[in-house]
Amino acid sequence: MKKTAKEIVIESLLTEEYLDISSLNKKIKENSEKVFGYHSIYKAVKQLVDEKVIVKCQEGYHLSEEWVMENLSFLEKLKEHINETKGFSHEACDFSVFEFENIKKLNDFLRKVENEHMSVFSKDKKSTIIRVVHHCYNYLLQPAQELAYIRKLKENNIDLKILCYGNTPLDKWTKDALEKFGAVMKIGANAGSITSKKVYEDFVVDIFFDKKFLDILNEVYSKAESVNDLDPSNLFEKLINTNYKINVILYKNKDIVKNIRDRTLGFFE
């Protein structure tokens, strides 16, 4: 389908801070396969100004910030629709962005992604899931569920490798417990201090924790000299009652996934 003059004007302004009408007309002539007359471009510009898609300033015309934000919001809703109706593994785009208000909702999301991505639990193919974490807090809050999860992975021919940035007594205690169930964990790893990750064969989940969340976590891990100093209920209460956000990016671009996967596996060599 051939593009209209208004669509061409919008596309021309996508890569520019602003353009006056003469520069806009010149750029369209140089880049558009379809020939538009000066009058057609001028008319399209006037219509887009009336529709508040573009704005006129002293230097020329530029895209309306309000219009851009409305379209970004609509795009996010489309992504949510695809994720809800087609599943997170749908190839509609190379990445998706999510936000969660607590770790429970984050963990529900992670389990849903795995359950929908059936190849994760395929016994016919040997696989490895890699975690990159600040601390393995899941084991402190729900040890039985965490060990059951690792056992499920092993039963489905999947290895779990963990890169843990922390190197506290609690991290060492967690390492001993998880490795008894078949996980491989490296503590004091030079990774995981900025973001956490879950790296699969063909997608990566990148997790950005709020500073408030990390402050609570680091306080618990730094003060506990042994597991006897740990109060899981107190940690849980703090994490539930503190207002924080968790942002997540899910990557499916093959080159990005391979790069992240190769680099994280390199830490275990």
Side-chain angles (χ1 to χ4, degrees):
M1 183 181 294
K2 292 183 178 180
K3 295 176 182 177
T4 66
K6 290 200 293 185
E7 290 172 331
I8 293 296
V9 168
I10 292 171
E11 284 190 1
S12 298
L13 290 173
L14 282 174
T15 56
E16 305 288 347
E17 186 175 1
Y18 52 78
L19 288 173
D20 60 32
I21 193 70
S22 297
S23 300
L24 182 59
N25 187 55
K26 181 182 177 182
K27 181 175 182 179
I28 291 173
K29 282 186 176 180
E30 291 174 350
N31 296 291
S32 176
E33 295 180 359
K34 184 178 178 181
V35 178
F36 292 95
Y38 182 90
H39 179 73
S40 297
I41 298 302
Y42 181 79
K43 181 180 178 183
V45 167
K46 296 297 288 183
Q47 290 176 344
L48 289 169
V49 170
D50 291 340
E51 295 167 5
K52 298 182 179 180
V53 175
I54 64 176
V55 177
K56 184 178 181 181
C57 64
Q58 186 175 354
E59 295 85 357
Y61 296 92
H62 63 87
L63 293 174
S64 162
E65 184 175 345
E66 183 179 351
W67 179 81
V68 170
M69 295 307 296
E70 286 177 355
N71 277 271
L72 287 175
S73 176
F74 181 65
L75 177 60
E76 288 304 316
K77 290 178 181 177
L78 284 178
K79 287 182 180 178
E80 289 176 10
H81 170 72
I82 291 294
N83 291 335
E84 290 298 324
T85 58
K86 305 295 184 181
F88 296 107
S89 300
H90 193 269
E91 297 299 327
C93 57
D94 282 343
F95 71 94
S96 300
V97 181
F98 308 88
E99 184 174 88
F100 304 98
E101 58 188 23
N102 58 57
I103 53 173
K104 182 183 182 307
K105 291 186 177 180
L106 169 66
N107 290 339
D108 290 344
F109 165 81
L110 294 175
R111 292 294 183 263
K112 183 176 182 180
V113 169
E114 283 191 351
N115 289 334
E116 288 184 357
H117 203 81
M118 296 306 294
S119 60
V120 169
F121 298 112
S122 173
K123 293 183 180 180
D124 299 331
K125 181 183 178 183
K126 180 71 174 177
S127 182
T128 301
I129 295 176
I130 311 145
R131 284 186 189 172
V132 183
V133 299
H134 204 85
H135 300 287
C136 279
Y137 67 86
N138 278 350
Y139 184 66
L140 301 188
L141 296 176
Q142 45 187 16
Q145 291 183 35
E146 190 70 358
L147 295 178
Y149 171 72
I150 295 173
R151 177 173 287 173
K152 178 183 178 183
L153 293 180
K154 296 300 289 184
E155 289 173 351
N156 286 275
N157 205 22
I158 300 168
D159 290 332
L160 176 63
K161 295 188 175 183
I162 304 169
L163 288 174
C164 178
Y165 178 76
N167 193 20
T168 69
L170 284 183
D171 293 308
K172 295 174 183 177
W173 173 72
T174 301
K175 171 181 166 69
D176 290 341
L178 299 187
E179 290 192 338
K180 287 178 182 177
F181 278 71
V184 176
M185 183 170 171
K186 184 175 182 178
I187 59 177
N190 190 24
S193 62
I194 298 176
T195 68
S196 293
K197 302 181 190 296
K198 291 199 76 172
V199 185
Y200 300 88
E201 294 286 346
D202 54 357
F203 70 98
V204 173
V205 182
D206 219 351
I207 306 167
F208 298 79
F209 288 106
D210 192 312
K211 183 177 182 298
K212 296 176 185 176
F213 176 90
L214 290 177
D215 284 346
I216 293 171
L217 211 57
N218 286 329
E219 181 183 15
V220 170
Y221 276 84
S222 63
K223 288 185 176 180
E225 294 295 329
S226 72
V227 67
N228 295 326
D229 299 326
L230 175 65
D231 183 355
S233 62
N234 183 46
L235 172 60
F236 180 77
E237 285 295 323
K238 285 184 177 180
L239 291 177
I240 290 297
N241 294 326
T242 302
N243 185 22
Y244 58 87
K245 297 293 183 183
I246 304 169
N247 289 338
V248 171
I249 302 178
L250 193 152
Y251 298 98
K252 290 177 282 187
N253 179 283
K254 292 181 180 179
D255 292 333
I256 291 177
V257 172
K258 184 179 186 306
N259 181 42
I260 294 174
R261 187 171 179 83
D262 290 346
R263 291 174 68 183
T264 51
L265 283 172
F267 280 87
F268 296 95
E269 295 177 354

